[in-house]
Amino acid sequence: MPALPATTAVSIGSIPLGDVLAWTAIAAFVVAMVLEWLDAPDPARYLAAAAWVVFGVFWLTMVPHYYLEVKSPIQTLLTLAALPLCVYAGYLLLQGRESLLLLSKAIAFMGLIYLPAETIPFVKTWLIETTARQTHFGMELMGHSPGIEEGSNGYQSRFAFDPDVTVTGRTTYIIMSCTGIGSMAIFGGLIASVTASLKRKVTAFAIAVGVIWFLNLVRNVFIGIASPWGWFQQDILVHIATEFMGAPADRTSYIVAHNFIAQSLSIVALLGITYLVVRILPEVLDPLEEVLFILTGTEYDLSDALGEEMRADGGTSTSAASASESTAESGTSGESDPASTSETDSER
């Protein structure tokens, strides 16, 4: 949930409208979560329904940023779709679908993880500049050592490639959405929202964060090198970027690397991370089933679809246990602990 850039943001006083809407939605989700905990499901549903609508309006305010600034077709379409989907979620809550309170709870935890990192200055500075240093180290492993300087966002996060030496004369700098905190917040919210043993929740969270951090680092290095060195400056790609997206010709490599390759692979990566988390914490399938119901209007049993044989407590399913007992004199069932997100980069 990144704040809008100054060039497209609408503000209430000195506070961007996007920030006001995001904080309002998350605060309402948190209060709804508390009301449910206090065994007041009806007030919780009504408040969560209102929170979903505000949340959808927040995403609508992000459309100009993703369309005009980032020029990302994927993110623009997702933000456009967010409002009707969020309104539909609110409608379902008003109609009595209390199971959506679990997904509302997950959104509350996601916001509690992400928004402080976005809005507390020293935390934001640390995240951005640490990510920049780690990305620079990755570039050095690839034979590039441009150095780091202050970017237009005011942080020491811009990779100081010499424009007279590189192919495009452009470079990139790290912003908040390059840190991977958004994806980490998503999994953190899902994991925190479900009921399970602390050990399995901590294990699932550690694996999710570790994989996201590594893949995000690879992504930043890839984009950070591809943009200045013009890896995708082929004529056909330049034509698409300039004629259909209105981008400068020398920005083609950045757009291809970031908007098409990295974002597409990010979707695959998120699916893979979800699978790893589910193997440890199958309870997260419950809020994911609610997401699918909002998207399709159809009830799904993801445990059955994925062929999971784990109970909600992490042990084997009853049928699996019975099959095991039929072939062995004795056995035990207990907790199983298997060993096994940008949004956007900016450039100038």
Side-chain angles (χ1 to χ4, degrees):
M1 292 176 286
L4 281 167
T7 54
T8 58
V10 177
S11 298
I12 298 178
S14 60
I15 305 175
L17 176 60
D19 286 359
V20 173
L21 291 171
W23 273 112
T24 301
I26 296 306
F29 279 128
V30 170
V31 175
M33 177 176 64
V34 173
L35 287 172
E36 184 190 16
W37 181 70
L38 293 174
D39 198 24
D42 287 342
R45 283 192 300 108
Y46 298 141
L47 184 56
W52 276 104
V53 174
V54 176
F55 196 51
V57 175
F58 158 74
W59 283 112
L60 186 65
T61 66
M62 298 298 297
V63 173
H65 169 55
Y66 289 122
Y67 180 73
L68 299 173
E69 300 278 334
V70 182
K71 300 185 183 300
S72 169
I74 295 176
Q75 289 173 306
T76 300
L77 290 174
L78 289 175
T79 49
L80 281 171
L83 178 58
L85 290 173
C86 287
V87 170
Y88 182 53
Y91 169 77
L92 290 172
L93 277 165
L94 292 178
Q95 293 300 305
R97 190 176 176 85
E98 290 189 12
S99 56
L100 269 173
L101 287 173
L102 178 60
L103 182 59
S104 302
K105 182 179 178 182
I107 299 294
F109 280 116
M110 291 176 198
L112 291 175
I113 294 171
Y114 183 87
L115 287 179
E118 169 67 41
T119 57
I120 298 175
F122 80 88
V123 176
K124 187 173 184 177
T125 299
W126 181 83
L127 282 172
I128 290 174
E129 296 189 350
T130 299
T131 301
R133 289 192 295 270
Q134 292 174 346
T135 302
H136 189 272
F137 175 74
M139 289 179 174
E140 289 180 323
L141 295 179
M142 299 294 292
H144 301 273
S145 185
I148 299 176
E149 60 188 10
E150 184 176 309
S152 60
N153 57 358
Y155 302 101
Q156 292 293 319
S157 64
R158 184 178 186 271
F159 304 113
F161 285 100
D162 186 346
D164 296 326
V165 175
T166 57
V167 174
T168 65
R170 304 185 71 93
T171 189
T172 59
Y173 60 90
I174 299 296
I175 62 174
M176 188 64 175
S177 51
C178 306
T179 64
I181 188 65
S183 297
M184 295 176 189
I186 290 173
F187 284 98
L190 289 172
I191 292 167
S193 69
V194 300
T195 301
S197 69
L198 180 61
K199 179 180 180 181
R200 288 191 295 120
K201 293 174 80 167
V202 170
T203 301
F205 182 69
I207 289 176
V209 169
V211 174
I212 290 169
W213 171 83
F214 175 76
L215 294 180
N216 188 67
L217 179 61
V218 172
R219 166 187 175 273
N220 287 339
V221 172
F222 166 65
I223 296 169
I225 297 176
S227 178
W229 291 104
W231 285 2
F232 304 103
Q233 291 298 127
Q234 290 77 23
D235 290 343
I236 182 63
L237 297 176
V238 172
H239 177 77
I240 293 173
T242 56
E243 295 299 320
F244 297 100
M245 304 182 69
D250 59 3
R251 200 166 184 252
T252 300
S253 284
Y254 170 80
I255 290 175
V256 173
H258 175 271
N259 293 9
F260 293 100
I261 297 176
Q263 287 185 0
S264 299
L265 291 177
S266 293
I267 296 173
V268 177
L270 288 175
L271 292 174
I273 296 168
T274 301
Y275 179 77
L276 291 177
V277 170
V278 166
R279 294 298 299 173
I280 300 168
L281 197 68
E283 291 88 344
V284 300
L285 291 175
D286 292 337
L288 293 179
E289 287 171 353
E290 294 302 311
V291 173
L292 288 177
F293 184 83
I294 293 172
L295 292 174
T296 67
T298 302
E299 299 283 2
Y300 288 91
D301 184 344
L302 291 180
S303 296
D304 181 65
L306 295 175
E308 290 293 331
E309 292 186 341
M310 292 181 289
R311 296 195 313 265
D313 64 0
T316 57
S317 66
T318 302
S319 59
S322 297
S324 176
E325 290 173 0
S326 68
T327 57
E329 291 185 358
S330 64
T332 61
S333 93
E335 183 167 288
S336 174
D337 292 298
S340 52
T341 229
S342 124
E343 285 105 351
T344 64
D345 289 81
S346 296
E347 86 175 327
R348 293 291 185 270

